[in-house]
Amino acid sequence: YGPDAGFPAGVQIYHRDDYDRVQREMREIEGTSVIIYDQTCAAEKRRRRKRNLYPDPPKRVVINDLVCEGCGDCGVKSNCVSVLPLETEFGRKRTIDQSSCNKDYSCVKGFCPSFVTVHGGSLRKGRLAPAGNKTDVLFAAIPEPNLPLLETPYGIMVTGVGGTGVVTIGAIVGMAANLEGKGFGGLDMAGLAQKGGAVWSHLQIAANPEDIRTVRLGSGGANAVLGCDLVVSASQKTMDTTRSGLTRMVVNTHQQMTGEFTRKADFEFPDQALRYTISNGVGAGQVDFVDATRIATALLGDSIATNMFMLGYAYQRGLVPVSAEAIQKAIELNGAAVKMNQAAFLWGRRAAVDSTAVERIIAPKAEAATGTKFSDSLDELIRRREDFLTGYQNAAYAQKYRALLDRVRLVESANCKGLTTLTEAVARYYFKLLAYKDEYEVARLYAASGFRERIKSEFEGDCKLRFHLAPPLLARRNDQGELTKSEFGPWVFSVFKLLAKLRGLRGTALDIFGYTEERRTERQLIEDYAHLLDELLAGLRPENHALAVQIASIPEEIRGYGHVKMRSLTVAMEKRARLLTEFRSPTGQRAAA
C-alpha cells in the first residue's frame, strides 16, 4: 500500500501468507475484531489483462516434469485448477496450463524443486496461429449450414467453467442476434468459484423479441447444448434441459480436472462415465464429442480460444440460428482478442467440415507437445528404465535392476502362466526406488535433460530463469520445522553441472548429502523392497497374484521431497502392512482369488 495509504492507527498490514496465523491470533482477542482480505479477484484480473487494463507481470511458472514427483503439494498450496496432471512414461506428474494461469504463483510454494519461473520474454505462439486468417488458402470454401428457422424460440445451453469465456459466448451470440434484428434473452448462472466453478449460460433466440416469454431454459428446453466442459455438460442440471432424440449436443472432451484433483493426487477423471451419461441422455446420434481444447491450442497457441472454436463447430452443425457474418461482427464489437477469436470461430467451422484435414495440420505440433513417449511393450519399459539408471549412476547399478526383473519375470511365468502384471509393477516401482531424486539427480535432470531447450521452444525474447529450491544444508526452517524454499538465479546451472558430475559419490563416505534422514531412508527402502519381493515370489500363486501386484506397487504412493515424502511414506507403509497381513493369511489369499 505504501506509507501514505491513509490507514488509521492500529491497523496492521500482513501478507496473505500469514492469513492462517492472523486468524489464530485474532480468535484469542475478546470482543469484535475485523480482518479485511484485499485482493483483486482472479477472473477480474484476466478480464482486465485482456484489455491491457491491469499489470501483466512478465513472469511465468513452468515445471520440470522429470524432477516432479507428482505428490500434489503444489495443488494443496495453491488450490489452483491450472495445475494439471501430466501423464508420462514415468508416472503422473504436474504441468501448468499457461493459458488459464492467473499468475498467482502460490503453486511455487509446493515443496518441490521442479518449479522454475521464467522472467521476461513471452510465450511463443505457434507458427500455425496466423493460419486462422487464411482458411481460404488452406481449405476449400466452407459450405453454409442449414440454420434453425425460428418458428418458435430456440434454446441453447452453453456449459463450461469460470474464467474460460463461457459468458462471452452468450454475449457474442446475443449481439449477433441483435445485429440481425432477432429477439434474444440470456441468463448466466455461475458457480461460487472465480475460476473452475461450473457455469451455465441460458440463451433464447427468436424471430422477434416479443416471442421470448422466458429466458431460463426449463426441463427439455434446450434445442442445442454447447458443452465447453465435459463434467458440467454431463451434470444433472444440464441434462435436465435436454430431450432425448431432440436436443443436439457438441461436447468438448478435454479432461479439465475439478478442484478435487488439488486434494487427491490420484484422482481419475471419469471420462467414459461422463460420455455415457451424455450419450444415453440425448441419444448417441445426437452428440458430437470434439477434442476442442487440444485442437484450438495447437492451432492458435492459447486454450482460451477453445470456446469460440466450439461455437464455430456448433454453428457449422446448424445449431446456432444466427449468421456467421453476424457472429464475426459481434466478435469485432466485443473488442477482446478479435483476430484470435475470429480465427477460432473459423477453425471450428472447418473442423466440423473436415476434421481429418485439421488433424493433419496440427499433427507435427501435437506430437512435439506430447513429451515422453510411452513404452509399447514390457521389454521396452524395462529397457528404457535400464538406460535411465545407467545415466543415473552407472551400468552396474542398471544391472542390479535388470537382475531382479529377470528373476521376477521367471517366477511369475512359472507360477502364473500368461500373467505379467507383477513384472510390470516391479519394473516401474523398483526403478522408482532406485532412481530416488537426491541432490545429484535433481541437478542431472536440469543440466542434462534438455530442460533449457524446452524453455526456448516454449518462450521467446529475453528470458531469465530462476529456480526455487531448498538445499538441505542451507535452507531455513519454518515454525513447523520444515525446510523452506528460496529463489536462485540462473547461475545455479553451473552448480547443477558440477553436482551431476559428482553423482559417483552417491552412497559413499564422501556423499555429504547421504547422511540426512531422508537419504538413509531412501536407501533402506531399496533393500526392504528386495526383501519384500523375496517373500512375494516365494508364496506367489494364481490366487494371490493380484494381491502381490498391489503390494509391489506400494512405492507409487511414496512421493515428494522432504517432509512431504516422509508423510506419504508413513501412509504407504501402513497400507503395505495391511496388505502383507492379508497376503500371509490363508483366508486373505482365498479372498484375493
Side-chain angles (χ1 to χ4, degrees):
Y1 292 101
D4 301 320
F7 288 110
V11 173
Q12 295 175 290
I13 309 298
Y14 297 89
H15 191 274
R16 67 178 183 184
D17 289 349
D18 299 319
Y19 192 39
D20 182 71
R21 178 174 62 83
V22 169
Q23 289 183 91
R24 294 177 185 278
E25 291 176 358
M26 295 287 269
R27 73 184 182 187
E28 302 300 326
I29 300 175
E30 294 185 3
T32 302
S33 57
V34 177
I35 300 176
I36 299 176
Y37 189 102
D38 183 13
Q39 177 178 302
T40 306
C41 89
E44 181 62 22
K45 284 182 181 179
R46 287 192 302 278
R47 279 193 290 267
R48 294 182 190 175
R49 281 172 180 160
K50 289 176 185 177
R51 293 169 171 78
N52 296 318
L53 299 176
Y54 194 86
D56 190 5
K59 172 183 172 183
R60 287 188 175 272
V61 179
V62 295
I63 296 175
N64 186 334
D65 59 271
L66 283 174
V67 177
C68 173
E69 280 275 286
C71 67
D73 192 48
C74 51
V76 172
K77 292 291 194 298
S78 65
N79 197 36
C80 179
V81 292
S82 290
V83 181
L84 302 179
L86 177 66
E87 306 298 341
T88 76
E89 169 71 11
F90 300 109
R92 174 179 278 190
K93 306 301 184 74
R94 296 296 185 273
T95 188
I96 303 296
D97 183 351
Q98 298 294 346
S99 299
S100 66
C101 175
N102 61 21
K103 299 189 175 182
D104 176 79
Y105 307 123
S106 55
C107 56
V108 176
K109 298 172 185 174
F111 192 76
C112 170
S114 67
F115 280 83
V116 177
T117 47
V118 181
H119 299 252
S122 61
L123 286 172
R124 189 183 297 277
K125 297 296 183 181
R127 288 179 295 174
L128 292 170
N133 297 318
K134 300 178 182 178
T135 53
D136 56 330
V137 175
L138 295 170
F139 298 97
I142 310 174
E144 287 298 324
N146 295 319
L147 302 181
L149 297 177
L150 296 183
E151 295 175 349
T152 59
Y154 186 88
I156 301 175
M157 172 68 80
V158 186
T159 70
V161 294
T164 62
V166 177
V167 173
T168 299
I169 295 297
I172 295 296
V173 173
M175 177 56 71
N178 181 64
L179 291 172
E180 295 188 330
K182 295 174 180 175
F184 173 80
L187 174 65
D188 300 316
M189 304 178 70
L192 294 176
Q194 294 177 3
K195 182 176 68 171
V199 177
W200 292 267
S201 193
H202 299 242
L203 312 179
Q204 291 268 24
I205 304 172
N208 301 293
E210 56 270 19
D211 294 336
I212 298 178
R213 305 297 177 86
T214 182
V215 176
R216 187 178 186 276
L217 300 177
S219 179
N223 298 90
V225 174
L226 186 56
C228 300
D229 177 78
L230 186 55
V231 174
V232 184
S233 298
S235 68
Q236 188 65 46
K237 193 170 182 178
T238 301
M239 298 309 297
D240 282 346
T241 67
T242 66
R243 289 173 291 172
S244 180
L246 295 174
T247 301
R248 294 174 62 190
M249 298 182 68
V250 176
V251 180
N252 181 12
T253 59
H254 174 64
Q255 297 184 6
Q256 175 66 50
M257 286 293 184
T258 65
E260 189 171 5
F261 176 66
T262 64
R263 299 181 296 277
K264 297 181 180 178
D266 294 319
F267 176 77
E268 293 293 335
F269 193 88
D271 179 80
Q272 293 302 316
L274 296 172
R275 290 185 186 226
Y276 175 80
T277 297
I278 293 170
S279 298
N280 189 57
V282 297
Q286 295 293 110
V287 56
D288 287 347
F289 290 107
V290 187
D291 196 354
T293 300
R294 176 182 63 86
I295 298 172
T297 304
L299 287 169
L300 298 149
D302 195 331
S303 67
I304 206 69
T306 299
N307 292 356
M308 202 61 69
F309 176 93
M310 288 286 290
L311 179 62
Y313 195 101
Y315 171 83
Q316 196 62 32
R317 284 284 189 259
L319 306 184
V320 183
V322 290
S323 69
E325 291 77 13
I327 292 175
Q328 294 280 25
K329 181 63 176 176
I331 293 173
E332 182 181 339
L333 292 173
N334 183 54
V338 174
K339 289 185 178 180
M340 184 186 74
N341 284 320
Q342 289 181 336
F345 179 75
L346 287 172
W347 276 114
R349 295 185 64 187
R350 274 298 170 190
V353 172
D354 193 348
S355 60
T356 303
V358 173
E359 288 290 350
R360 280 199 304 267
I361 290 174
I362 68 173
K365 187 180 180 81
E367 183 178 348
T370 300
T372 306
K373 174 185 174 294
F374 289 92
S375 296
D376 295 323
S377 66
L378 178 57
D379 287 331
E380 183 184 358
L381 185 149
I382 295 172
R383 185 173 62 253
R384 291 177 68 179
R385 283 158 175 75
E386 192 174 6
D387 292 343
F388 191 103
L389 289 171
T390 301
Y392 176 88
Q393 186 76 359
N394 51 43
Y397 199 67
Q399 181 54 38
K400 176 181 179 180
Y401 169 76
R402 168 65 78 168
L404 183 57
L405 261 294
D406 289 344
R407 180 177 163 224
V408 173
R409 200 169 195 175
L410 183 64
V411 173
E412 184 177 33
S413 176
N415 295 349
C416 307
K417 294 186 182 300
L419 297 177
T420 61
T421 47
L422 178 59
T423 303
E424 181 176 342
V426 176
R428 292 184 184 279
Y429 302 119
Y430 186 45
F431 163 80
K432 177 180 171 67
L433 294 177
L434 285 170
Y436 62 90
K437 296 186 178 73
D438 57 9
E439 289 72 15
Y440 306 110
E441 178 62 358
V442 170
R444 187 182 77 92
L445 293 176
Y446 271 116
S449 66
F451 178 72
R452 282 192 289 188
E453 287 69 24
R454 173 194 150 190
I455 295 296
K456 290 178 182 177
S457 71
E458 294 182 7
F459 294 86
E460 57 188 358
D462 184 17
C463 299
K464 291 182 173 57
L465 304 183
R466 299 193 71 84
F467 301 84
H468 300 261
L469 311 169
L473 304 180
L474 302 174
R476 299 176 181 176
R477 294 184 180 273
N478 60 19
D479 295 341
Q480 288 75 45
E482 301 167 347
L483 293 177
T484 58
K485 294 162 63 174
S486 299
E487 189 175 291
F488 297 86
W491 60 267
V492 82
F493 253 112
S494 299
V495 179
F496 287 155
K497 290 179 180 179
L498 175 61
L499 279 176
K501 292 177 181 179
L502 295 175
R503 63 185 181 278
L505 299 177
R506 179 185 288 122
T508 70
L510 297 177
D511 180 5
I512 60 174
F513 305 110
Y515 295 100
T516 65
E517 179 185 1
E518 184 177 354
R519 299 292 168 256
R520 294 199 306 269
T521 300
E522 287 165 337
R523 293 195 297 271
Q524 187 61 48
L525 284 173
I526 297 172
E527 301 305 317
D528 291 347
Y529 193 76
H531 293 315
L532 173 66
L533 287 176
D534 288 340
E535 179 177 352
L536 294 181
L537 295 178
L540 186 64
R541 300 191 304 276
E543 56 266 27
N544 63 16
H545 179 270
L547 189 55
V549 173
Q550 289 187 59
I551 296 171
S553 301
I554 287 295
E556 167 65 12
E557 301 180 27
I558 305 172
R559 307 189 187 110
Y561 293 82
H563 55 274
V564 175
K565 185 169 192 172
M566 291 304 159
R567 283 200 297 263
S568 71
L569 175 62
T570 300
V571 175
M573 291 301 98
E574 290 174 354
K575 181 177 179 179
R576 188 184 74 169
R578 292 195 304 269
L579 292 177
L580 269 175
T581 300
E582 186 177 351
F583 184 84
R584 293 163 178 164
S585 166
T587 303
Q589 292 174 0
R590 288 196 296 271

